[in-house]
Amino acid sequence: MDEALRKKGEGVRRHVLGDDYVDRAMGAADAFSKPLQDMLNEYCWGMAWTDDGLDLRQRSLLNLGMLAASNRMHEFGLHFRGAVRNGLTDRELQAALVQIAVYCGVPAGVEAFRVARAVRAEMAGEGAI
């Protein structure tokens, strides 16, 4: 394991998803699932999200499309929140979700809008948007 990359990845993960989420995910890990958390921090967040080829906003848009296309709506909601945290505007998010509906199919677009609406309502209640 590359400890420096794991720590750098955890930092980006915390920036995008929030300390509360990361603390819950890592705190819930036991001896069996801890290796997954370490892999997520090093590989997903460290290797992919810290590379300077794309900025965080671009990565968020890519993730939304890929997660919607693969019908991973729980992760879609998590990354929709992250996209807002990464500074994507309502207009940009709306355009992305319309494009998801066109290219992934209308049912995927309907579900993406449904999840996005729930996340936006939750974030508004938290004063985050």
Side-chain angles (χ1 to χ4, degrees), residues 45-104:
W45 292 98
M47 183 177 278
W49 280 78
T50 65
D51 174 82
D52 64 1
L54 297 171
D55 64 32
L56 296 180
R57 292 166 41 86
Q58 292 167 321
R59 290 181 193 285
S60 283
L61 282 172
L62 281 169
N63 271 23
L64 293 178
M66 291 182 292
L67 291 167
S70 60
N71 195 28
R72 301 294 191 256
M73 297 316 284
H74 175 78
E75 292 292 316
F76 180 91
L78 182 65
H79 280 277
F80 187 88
R81 175 183 286 271
V84 172
R85 291 176 57 95
N86 281 337
L88 287 161
T89 66
D90 284 346
R91 180 66 189 107
E92 290 168 327
L93 290 164
Q94 180 186 54
L97 270 58
V98 167
Q99 190 154 341
I100 284 169
V102 170
Y103 283 91
C104 296

